[in-house]
Each structure stands twice: as C-alpha cells, then as structure tokens.
Amino acid sequence: MLSGIYGLLSASFFVAMDAVDVAFTEASVGAGISTLLMFLAITMTERRDHSVRHKPWLALIVVVVTGALLIYGTLDMPYFGSADAPIHVHVAPRYINDSMQEIGVINLVTSVLGSYRAFDTFGEVVVIFTAGVGVLALLSVSRRPENDAKIDALNVSMHEQHLILRIVIKILIPFILLFALYVQFHGDYGPGGGFQAGVIFAAAVILYSMLFGLSTARRVINQPLTQFIAALGVLLYGSVGVVSLLNGGNFFDYNVLSDDPVAGQHLGILLIEAGVGLTVASVMIIIFFNFQGRKEYGQGQAKGDV
Amino acid sequence: MFLGLYNYWIVVVLMMIGFYIVIAHGNLIKKLVGLTIFQTSVFIFYISMAKVNGGTAPIVGDGIEIYSNPLPHVLILTAIVVGIATTALGLALTVRIKEAYGSIEEEEIQKKDNSTC
Amino acid sequence: MNMSLETMLLLCMLLPLVAIVGIVGLGHKPNWRETVTISTCLALIYLVVNLYQGLADGEIIRLFLWEIFPGLQLSFVVEPLGMLFALIASFLWLITTIYAIGYMRSHNEINQTRFYVCFAIAIGAVMGVAFAENLFTLFIFYEVLTLSTYPLVTHAGTDKAKAGGRIYLGILLSTSIVFLLLAIISTWFVAGTLDFKPGGVFAPDVDTTVAGAILLLFIFGIGKAAIMPFHRWLPAAMVAPTPVSALLHAVAVVKAGVFTVLKVCVFIFGIDLLAVLPTTQFLLYLAGFSVLFASLIAMRQDNLKARLAYSTISQLGYITIGALLATSAGVVGSSMHIATHAVGKITLFFCAGAILVAAHKSNISEMRGLGRKMPITMLAFFIASLSIIGLPPTAGTWSKWFLLMGTIETEQWILMTILMLSSLLNIAYLLPIPYHAFFSDDNKQGSGEGVGEGVGEGIKEAPLPALIALSITTVACVALFIYPQPVYELATAVMENSRINYAD
Amino acid sequence: MAAPLCLLFRHSRAAWLFALIASGTALVISILLLQQVLATGLISYALGGWQAPWGIEYRIDTLNAFLLLIISSLSTVVLLAADTSISKEIPKEKHSLFYVLYLLSLTGMLGIVATGDAFNVFVFLEISSLSAYALIALGSDRRALWASYQYLIMGTIGATFILIGIGLMYQMTGTLNMHDLSNRLPEVAQTRTVFTAFAFVIVGVCLKLALFPLHLWLPNAYAYAPSIVTAFFAATATKVAIYLLIRFTYSVFGFSFSFTALPLQLLFVVLGVLGIFVASSAAIYQSNVKHLFAYSSIAQIGYMIVGFSISTVAGLTATLLHLFNHALMKGALFLALAAVMHRIGSVQLSALKGLGREMPLTMAAIVAGGLSLIGVPLTVGFVSKWYLVLALLENGWWPVAMLILLGSLLAIVYVWRIVEVAYFQPRVGPGELSKDSVREAPLAFLVPIWLLVIANVYFGIDTRLSVEVAQTASESLFGLSQ
C-alpha cells in the first residue's frame, strides 16, 4: 500500500518536474499495476512479517558509503534547474528545435521516443515481452477441468456479493477502454502513447476479471490470444523497421515510409505506438492472469487436498 | 550552493532507503519493494536533471520558449517499463519460491537448502 | 626407401600416433596388437638410425611445422644431443616392449590396450622432446609426456596407484607450469627467442642476476630431472608396472628431464654465460646434495624398486652437475651418462620386474639365495650395478670419468669428493643384492621364510621375452664400455658444435 | 548492416529449429562483420537514420565484432544440443517458451555488444538479464528458483548502479553516445561527478561480472539452471560483462582517466588474484560438478581481470584471448555435463564414477576441456596463459605472474578429481542405476561437444586468427583512448 502511495507521490513529483508523460506512466504503473501485483503476490504468500534483518550494520555501512559517494558526486553537478547544464546544450536542443520540421509531432517526448531513440523503445517493448514470457514460463499452469469447475463455483459464490460494484464496473469498462484508445492515438499531441494506453487497457480487463472471475475473463480473452497479440506487437514494431530497411533507409528510418518524410515519420510513430500498446496491454494481461491463475490453482489444490 | 543541489540529495536519501531495504530485509517481497523504491528514485533523479527553470512540459505549443529536456523523459519511460518487468518477474519468482519452499524468508530458505543438500 | 630425411623426422613423431589407431583397433586381439606395437618399434628404430646416418653425413635435417604464436614455431631439428637421446629411447623402447609383453601377460594386468596406447604416445612425445628445435616445442612435448604417462603410473587403479599418480602429476605439472613456463616466458621476454642456439641466446651483456634467476627457475622447473626437493614423484611413480618404471622413470621421463637441463644449459645459456652466473654455484651444490642424500636414502630402502628409484635420483644429480659445471668435459660426461645410465638402470629395473614376476618378491631382504634360482637375472643385475657404480668393464666408467674430469677442471673439489663418495655408496647399496642372492642361504633367516621357501620351490627364471630383454641391455652395458665411439662422438659433437658456432 | 541481428526474436512460437536458424544467421552475420571490420575498420550504423549522438547508433569495431562472433557461435553450437537436452529437464509445454527466452537472451547480449549508446546498453542488459532469470528459474530443482531470485536482486542492483552511472555521465556531458561521451568526458574529467559515475558503472558491471567478492550469485545460478542454459551463460554472459568493463574503462572514460582516477589497477590485480585463489579453492571442495566448474569460471574471470588490469596492449590482448578461449572451454565442459545430466540425471561427482568407460567420448571431452582450463600446451588455455604471463612480465610483475601460475595448479587439483573419479573408480551403483542404462551421449550432444573440443585444440595450435583479432582489438582500444 505504501508503495502505491509512493508511486502516486512520485508521479505528482514528475508533473512538477514538467515530465507529464513520465508522470502518466508512473501513475499507471507505479500506483496501479505494480501495487496490484504486489498485493496479489502478498496474498499468495503470507502477510506476516517475521523477518529478521540480518547483518543490518553491514548493510548500513554499504548503504552509507554508497550514499556518501553519490552525494560527493552531486557536488560538482550543475544546479538543479539551471538551463546551461550540459544536458541542455548538447544534444537536446536539436530535439526541441528541429523535431517539428523533421518529425512534426507536437509531443517532443513522443518524437524522441518513437523516432530518434526508436531502438531504445524497441528494446523496451522487448523487455516487457521478455517479462511476459518469463512470467508465463514461471507461473503458467496446465489447467485441469475439474479444478476449473470448483473454481467457477467458488467464484460465483464470491461474486454475488459484489452486485452493485459489478454493475458500476460494467458501465465503466467501456469508458476505460475508450479512454485507452484515446490515449493511444493522442500520444502525438499530449501526454500519452502506446505504453500508457496499453496499461489502461489492461487495467480494464483486469478490473473485469477481478469482478467476474478469471475463467469468465479468460473466455473473453484467452491466453493464446494474448500471447499472440503480445508477439504481434513486437512484430509490428520490428516490421516497421524492416519495411523501412527494405525501402532503402536504415532500420527504423521512417522517412522512407512515405513520399513526404514528415508523413512517413507520422506513420511510423503511429505504427510503433500501436505495437507498443498491443504488447504492453497483452503482457500486462498475461502477467495478471497468470498470477491470478496460479493463485486460484493453489487455492483449488488446497481445497482439493482438504 | 546547497540550495542548488537539495533536490538531488533528497533523491539520494530515497535511493539509499530502497537500497537498504534490498540488502537488509529477509522478506523477499519487501526486498522487491525496496528495489522498486531504489529504481524509482533513480527515475526521479533523471527527471530532475531534465528540468529547466521556467520551462514547461516538452509539448510544443505557441508562445512557449523553454521546454524541459525531453530526452531523460524518454529514457525514464523505458526504465519504468524495465522496472515493472523486473518487479513482475521477481514477484512471479517469489510466488514459485513460496510454493516450493513454503516460505519467503531468506533465512528459512537458506536453512532448508542446507538441510537438503 | 627414398623418403627424405625430413619426412622421417616427422614420421618419428607420427608413427607412434598411427600405431595407436592400430592398437586400439586390435585391442581385443592381443597378439595382433602387440605385433603392431613391435613393428612400430622396429620402424621407429629404422627411422632414427637413418637420421643418425644423415647426421653423420653432415646433413642438416630441419622440419618446420607451423607457427603457433608469431615468432614461435613448432619445429624440429636433428642435432647430436637429441640424436643421442632419440637413439637410446627408440632402442630401449623396442626392448621394453618385448619385455612388457612378457611381463604384462604373466602378470595378467588389466587395461593392456590403454597401456600400449599411452606407451606409444609417450614415446612419440620423447621423440618430440629429443628433436625439438626450440624451447617452446620442447615444452609442449614435455607436457604431453607427463600427461601420457599419468595413466601408466596409475595403471593398477588402486588407491595406492592413484596416490602415486597424484604426486607424480602434481609435482611434474606444478613445477613445469609454475617454474618452467615462467622461465620459458622470461627467456622469451629477455632474449626474444626460444631457439636453441649453440652458445646460448642471451645477449653477452645480459644482467646476470636476471639470467641467474631464470636459471634457477629452469632447474627447479624441470621437475623431471628430479633435483631435490622436487624428487618425490620418482619414488611415487614406482607403483607403476615395472616396464613403465623401466622405460619411463628410468629412461624416457627422467632422461627427458636431464636432457632438457642439458639443452637449456648448453643452448639457452651457453656454457660461458653459465660459468659466470651467480646461481650456478648454488645449484651445483644443490645437485651435489641431491646426489649424496639420495644415495643415503637408497641405502635404507628395502623395496628394490624404491632403492633403484633413489639411485636414479642420485644419478640424475650427476648429469645435472655435469651440465652445470659448464666445461666441455662436464657436458660430454653428462651426455654420455644419459646413455650409460639409461642402459644400466633399465637393466636393473628389468631384473627387478623379472624377480617380481617370477618370484613375487619386491623386497631386498627376501632375495637371499635367489641367484641360484635365477642366475641370468642376477648376473645381469650385477653387471648393471657395476655400470651404475662406474667400474670397468662397463659403460658407466666412461661417463663417470668425464664427470670427474669436469669437476677437477673447474676445481670443484667438494663436488669431486661428493661424486666419489656417492660412488662408494652405490657400491654399498647395489652390490650387496647380487652378493646375497648368490652367496647367502635363503633358509638361514628366521620367521616368515617358510612362506618364502614354499614359493621359492617354484621359482624359475623370468618369462622368456623378459629374459631376452634384460640380456640385451646387459650386453649393451658391456658393449658400450668396449666400443663407446658412437656415444662419445655424439657427445663431443655437442660440444664442438657449440664451440664452433660460438666462435663465429 | 547490423540491424538484421535484432530481428531474430521475432516469432514467439519459435521452436528449436527456428532458434537454431536465427542463431546461425547471427553467426554468419557476425563472421561477415568481423571480416569487414578487419578489412575496413569501424562500422557505424545509425538506427532510424538519425546520426549519433541524436539517434542511436550501432558501432562495430574489432572488439565488438570479436565478441559478437564469440557469442553467436557459442550460442549456435549450444543450441545444437538444446533440443535433446531440454527434453528431459523442462516440461514439454514450456519448450517453446524456453526457446523464446533463449533467443531473447541472445538478442540482449548481441545488442549490448553491438550498440554504441550507453542507455541502449542498459536496455539490452535488462533484456538479457530478465530472460536469464527466467531461464535459470526453469531449472528442475527448486533451488533454481532461489538462485534465480538472488541473481535477480543482484542483477537489478547492478543494472541500477549502471543506470545511475550513466545518468551522472549524461548529466555532465549531455550525451549518451559512447563515442561522443569519450570526446566530451575529458573536459569534465576532473569533476567529482564523473568520478562517481565511473565508480558506479564499474561496481555495477562487476556485479554482473561476478568479480570476486561480488560473485555470490553465480555458482548457484549456474548449478541449478537447466544444463543447456548453463552452457550458454557460462560461455557468454560473463564475457559480455567483461566487454562492458573494457568498453567503459577504455573507450568511454578513456584509458588515462580510468587508471588514474581510482587505484583501479591495484584493486583489480588484488581482486583478480584473490578471485583466482578463493574460487579455485572453493572449486576443489565442491561435490557437484556444475558447482565446481562454476567456481572455476569465477577463477577464470580473475585471470581476465588481471590481464585487464595490466592495462597494456599485451595485457588486454591476453584478456581478450582468454575471453575467447574460456568461452570455448566452458562451452565444451558444460555441454559435456549436460550430456552427462541427460544420461544419468545427476552431475554429482559421485555419479560420475567409472563414466570414462561408459561414455568415453563425453568424458574425453571433459578431460580435454579440463586440460585446457589447466593450461596444458596445445590447448587454448595454454595460449591465453602464455600471453597473460608474457604481459605480466613485460610490466615487470613477477610476483603476480608467479601467483597466476600457482593458481593454475589449483585447477589441476579440481580437474583431476573428476578424472580420477571418472576413470579410476569402478562403476558401482547397486540400486542407483542399472549398468546398461548408461550409454554414450546421443549424437546431438556429441557433435557440438566435439566441435568445441576441436576448436579448443585448433585454436591452441593455430592461434593466428584469435591472436590477430585480439591484438587488433586491443590496439584499437588504445588508439581510441589517446
């Protein structure tokens, strides 16, 4: 819970720092998804905390030394907020001054993300994809039908208690999805983009599944499909690069996608954002489903044992 | 001079809190929480770098001359994703460890390991 | 045959490897397997003798394989010292193989195929050591030799054999990696080359401290020369079957060691440089100590093979001393001693093996009266002992003579005394064995002899192949006294070679 | 030019064959790259068409190309055996996931090596690490999970440290491109910030590197991961970390800065030598052969670090050579262990009794690899040891040279424990396994194993290629730093 608040706090901090995009992401991730996952994991393991802090002094020394080194390092740093710091005068001006001509996207973050450093973003998508696959490898269970039945029964009894909530959520979900789409395509103009949209989209699905039961949700969005979509996202992203390669440019050189470089950039960014969105959404869903699935599986087994 | 750097120092303190939790705690989930704090504070550190006095969010608009540096924002977007990916994987591991060992306390696990081998 | 001599040189090393294929392939048919081995021996001798002819005709036989590092080649050349070594080794290999067949079969040893395979690799490595043109090539084959003989040492597979093998490998590999390799690399670093050159490779104005340190590294590094304190492997290796002890630990391995010492002294340092190095004197005394002390230990050994092993350590000390004396007499003596000691010691080991096989005895105290049961063996033992001691009419006389000359020339009176004293000790620990075997009654001893007597009834001479083998080497012991020319010529050629070129 | 490398992980449902093809393609590409680099020098490829430092570029010099070659070739060879190996160690339904992760990990490593952008390094580092955690956790033993968790914590701390370091550098220079960094850093080299950045990057990399005393995560991770994974990582993962170390100290911070700002030389020599001794001694007391070789890996890293710390062309050449050679040895060894695992289901030392007779080819490969570890002539281990000692002598570091050689004696001990057990102990195992159940490993193992063994010998005899490349690479590094 604390970490959720921490996430929200840092998000608002980012806003104060003029980093709206980052704030948006941190809000959805730090305060949303990761807290959710934490809770899930905690319920699956144990709440009690009877841990002993071993070797606290050693740890403290390490930490203090590291911290002192960092403070020492900051002494020569340019002052906070000063405009003539090296980072503001070397590479960045080009992004700020020229990207309108070169890319034509109002949100500078998006243009840097999608084009100048498209490869980083590509890496990012791959990272999240890796995490998805990793969680899948670790947690996926081969589902046995008799367990499913039990779980269903369990779920039904549970969910009848949340009738009002279910109705509210049912109404809300389409709006959330719509909002996700808006964020997805609005990335060019305001804060937003594929990643945030993906998370929001995933959040909608997760909400749904929390209230209506995992198996219900799985009936709507089944696992192979999400896996396929996750891969599709990466592929979409990658193929944008390949296409530009085939068109005679460098990898991720969107200029060649269209006759007009700016239009080409637009198209490229749009496509990769779509790829990011797809992958992120599906991976989030995969992760959540697997956590939840594992949990219910464990409960089912426990019940079966009793 | 100190005023010019206070922001970084707060970040450092945050970082070290996270780092300490990672090292010193025996509970696997708490370790992960610590890790998240540690990472997030690094993000803040980057974002602080990007801030320019009097600047606004790097979205081009009319009449705005000074923008924050968009590059760190991009980097941190990526880093956040990396962070959540790591957390997810770590939690997944924790869940499995709980299943396999019946505990998520570092010392108990080590004890069990030693007794089996 | 119209083979070029270069091809022959290559074949010297390849032939044993080719033989392996045959040996493994025919592993289940002992007769065929051993035929392959023996014919390989014969072919090898043929090759080596041919090379000798070529050398005698003054041809330069050189073989360049390829470069391993820039400036470091795998290459071979035939020169007198190597020739000497190769001749001895190939000749004795044949004899040992004959002997081994008799020994291994009558002893019902296991894993005979592995035995012959390793044997073949070892001899190939010995050839490589003998003909190596540079220190680097030599080092490679030196290590191959160590590794290929390890399975032979641990052949029996018992705990004792494994322990022995561990010591063997441990000491040999350790010294070679820690000291020898370091020495080689330092040489490479200081001198810029590793080629064996008459007169040495170091520049005349090289820092004597550095060169002295390198010499120290070399002498310690060549663990196979068994200078104390790195001699422990030799007695440990005696757990091996006797043919192994005979060929490898009396001839091939230790001789590879002292051969390397000689090579290093003469061709890396050059005897002139050697004479002025500060560490030479220390090493001389160390070797002297090794000679004397090993002899003393040998006195106390009851196990025949162990006694012979310590005797070997002592004799190796002679060779090292000869090399370090840095005079031509010393070097000649050392070179000859390689040959004469090889012949003598292998005879002794053959005898020990024969006694073990025929009478199942390995302790000296049990051998009283054995001479009457095994006259030929014991006679051979006697003659070989004379050779080791250095009495006429045996081969050892010459080499000891030259070694003594060397000490006198350099006025190393202490060393001379040591050598003389050690020879006396030789007499004391070797001659009593045949003496008791012939002239004392085996039944006079007290308890435990009942068993010995029961066995003693059935004792006959050793198996025929073994007997043949040891007779040949015994004859060789005498023959080398009467006709030492080839050996002497080669030995002096070593010196001449180095002198002449050094004068240039 | 390098871009196709990155397309390799495209199909999520890739099966073994696909993975193999992908890895093979990477191999071919990296061979071509190496040739081209040797012929023409630096290759730079701007991704997205944006020139560095604005965009991200791939920057391939001899060093990168060399590393790319090592990684892709080892990965291809290891993959040859993967299909058979994982069939027993990993549940069927996770096979395709396994390959996906494997390829992702490969991608990560190739990406780290190829990229010329500091932040991009971080991203790829995470790709390879995340997939590594997951791969290790796939191990059948429950301890694999714990090992993976420990690795995750350590790895993430390391990565975050690197991130901090990169951030500080960026703060001072305003650029993320490595080449650009190296141009701009000297201006601000005297500041405390740069010093701190350097310290953080180094510590972070050393965590990944498993440099003694930061090595604690490695043995368990190696021991409990699926055998194939172990073979792959042992041969490649630490190599990548060494690459990063070299890249950052030599190229980015510049040689003169790196070795004057901190007592780095002394520190690394001490740590390297200590690592050699402590890890080798630990290896001697292991009863699990995988553990044993894992500790030996740490010791070998010590050698590389010592070579690195000499900070001369010769020393660096030795390190790079050892990088290559060690990949060959450890690849062969762990693959052979994978074969053993496949056949008898255990890699405890006691389970190897008498295996020399039952699986002669596999055990012979282990012996060959072991000899190479010791550094016996005619194997690659000897070559690297030779160069290392030579480099040490060149610097006049006699004692260190002596220590290093002493350290390799320890290798004899632990290798010989295996040899003795495998060859000189009868295969008695009443109740364990019936005798005829142990056969020689299947061909799918033998081919890659012996490929590596032959490479071990070949590059031990004919060193032209490896030495030349290593030398060019280290010379160019020194050229860059001036």
Side-chain angles (χ1 to χ4, degrees), chain B:
Chain B
M1 126 168 217
F2 292 103
L3 281 176
L5 293 170
Y6 74 95
N7 203 335
Y8 295 121
W9 292 355
I10 294 169
V11 171
V12 170
V13 171
L14 269 177
M15 249 186 240
M16 289 311 115
I17 291 171
F19 193 33
Y20 178 79
I21 296 176
V22 177
I23 300 181
H25 262 277
N27 186 300
L28 299 191
I29 289 190
K30 286 203 174 165
K31 265 180 187 288
L32 285 176
V33 173
L35 209 58
T36 320
I37 296 175
F38 187 34
Q39 285 180 324
T40 315
S41 53
V42 178
F43 304 159
I44 300 178
F45 169 71
Y46 268 75
I47 298 299
S48 313
M49 288 198 287
K51 167 79 178 165
V52 180
N53 281 341
T56 64
I59 297 172
V60 177
D62 293 333
I64 301 173
E65 290 300 317
I66 310 170
Y67 300 105
S68 285
N69 190 342
L71 185 54
H73 297 187
V74 174
L75 302 184
I76 288 321
L77 273 179
T78 309
I80 287 177
V81 176
V82 170
I84 176 74
T86 313
T87 314
L89 204 62
L91 285 173
L93 268 173
T94 316
V95 169
R96 284 289 301 277
I97 287 175
K98 167 72 181 171
E99 286 177 5
Y101 289 87
S103 165
I104 52 166
E105 298 298 325
E106 190 175 357
E107 302 207 329
E108 284 177 32
I109 292 168
Q110 246 146 19
K111 234 180 274 165
K112 286 185 187 177
D113 257 357
N114 292 339
S115 60
T116 49
C117 64

Side-chain angles (χ1 to χ4, degrees), chain C residues 66-70 72 111 114 136 139-140 143-144 147 150-151 154 157 162 166 169 173-174 177-179 181-182 184-186 188-189 194 214 217, chain D residues 357 371 374-378 382-383 385-387 389-390 393-394 398 401-402 405-406 408-409 412 416 419-420 423-425 460-464 467:
Chain C
W66 65 84
E67 247 179 16
I68 289 199
F69 305 134
L72 279 183
N111 292 337
R114 183 170 80 193
F136 182 71
F139 179 69
I140 290 175
E143 294 290 47
V144 173
L147 290 171
Y150 167 77
T154 49
K162 271 191 285 184
R166 231 176 262 163
L169 196 76
L173 269 188
S174 315
I177 287 181
V178 176
F179 299 121
L181 184 58
L182 194 59
I184 292 175
I185 298 178
S186 325
W188 166 252
F189 180 62
L194 290 177
I214 295 177
L217 285 175
Chain D
R357 208 168 287 275
L371 289 180
I374 299 172
V376 172
L378 298 183
F382 176 69
V383 178
K385 210 154 277 182
W386 173 275
Y387 271 94
V389 173
L390 197 62
L393 289 185
E394 213 173 83
W398 289 75
M402 200 82 167
L405 291 172
L406 272 176
S408 60
L409 293 187
I412 302 181
W416 233 256
V419 171
E420 275 190 4
Y423 283 95
F424 294 105
Q425 283 190 11
I461 294 175
D462 182 6
T463 57
R464 276 170 305 188
V467 170

Side-chain angles (χ1 to χ4, degrees), chain C residues 87-151:
Chain C
L87 267 178
I88 300 165
S90 58
F91 172 62
L92 292 180
W93 188 40
L94 173 66
I95 298 171
T96 314
T97 310
I98 297 172
Y99 179 83
I101 293 170
Y103 178 89
M104 297 298 276
R105 289 197 176 178
S106 60
H107 224 231
N108 287 326
E109 292 274 356
I110 47 161
N111 292 337
Q112 291 198 17
T113 305
R114 183 170 80 193
F115 176 84
Y116 288 113
V117 168
C118 292
F119 226 66
I121 300 177
I123 203 68
V126 169
M127 291 296 136
V129 170
F131 292 129
E133 197 195 1
N134 53 43
L135 204 48
F136 182 71
T137 314
L138 191 144
F139 179 69
I140 290 175
F141 284 99
Y142 182 95
E143 294 290 47
V144 173
L145 185 58
T146 310
L147 290 171
S148 64
T149 47
Y150 167 77

Side-chain angles (χ1 to χ4, degrees), chain A residues 147-160:
Chain A
N147 269 356
D148 268 10
K150 272 185 206 148
I151 291 165
D152 278 348
L154 184 78
N155 285 338
V156 166
S157 65
M158 224 161 71
H159 293 133
E160 272 163 3

